[in-house]
């Protein structure tokens, strides 16, 4: 009797990268404002946190780890970029 092969998706994220994605998926449950939670948890300014998050969501590893979150964040980023472009064209 042979067993079906088990496939495990290899996700090569650092603990910090995984923590950032986990945080982004659940920050709204925090009792403190998001910016404060970012500083307390990661010792980062909000600007630096978002720089790291935006770079992270462009990776295949992040997509494999949290596909729904990453797709939603990518979509939201694209919408913001399109809105900025539209404002520039109408200015």
């Amino acid at each position: 009797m042979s067993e079906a092969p088990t496939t495990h998706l290899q996700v090569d994220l650092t603990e910090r990268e995984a923590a950032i994605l986990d945080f982004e998926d659940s920050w709204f449950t925090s009792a403190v404002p998001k910016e404060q939670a970012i500083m307390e948890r990661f010792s980062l300014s909000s600007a630096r946190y978002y720089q790291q998050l935006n770079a992270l969501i462009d990776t295949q590893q992040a997509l494999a780890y949290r596909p729904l979150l990453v797709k939603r964040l990518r979509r939201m980023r694209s919408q913001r970029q399109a809105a900025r472009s539209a404002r520039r064209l109408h200015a």
Side-chain angles (χ1 to χ4, degrees):
M1 184 190 291
S2 67
E3 293 183 19
T6 304
T7 58
H8 293 283
L9 188 58
Q10 181 67 24
V11 179
D12 293 328
L13 290 176
T14 66
E15 281 186 37
R16 185 174 181 90
E17 290 168 336
I20 288 172
L21 292 172
D22 292 342
F23 173 80
E24 194 61 29
D25 205 26
S26 65
W27 66 266
F28 48 85
T29 61
S30 175
V32 299
K34 186 175 184 181
E35 290 74 20
Q36 182 180 345
I38 289 168
M39 181 57 76
E40 290 172 359
R41 180 140 183 214
F42 302 108
S43 300
L44 293 172
S45 68
S46 293
R48 186 70 185 128
Y49 169 82
Y50 286 113
Q51 287 172 341
Q52 290 185 9
L53 177 63
N54 275 305
L56 182 57
I57 65 172
D58 286 333
T59 67
Q60 288 301 313
Q61 293 85 355
L63 184 61
Y65 181 70
R66 292 274 188 168
L68 295 177
L69 172 69
V70 170
K71 288 177 185 178
R72 179 172 52 87
L73 293 173
R74 287 177 178 178
R75 186 175 58 251
M76 291 169 55
R77 180 178 62 186
S78 293
Q79 290 169 345
R80 285 190 305 272
Q81 289 171 338
R84 279 194 302 272
S85 294
R87 283 195 303 269
R88 284 189 207 123
L89 290 175
H90 294 100

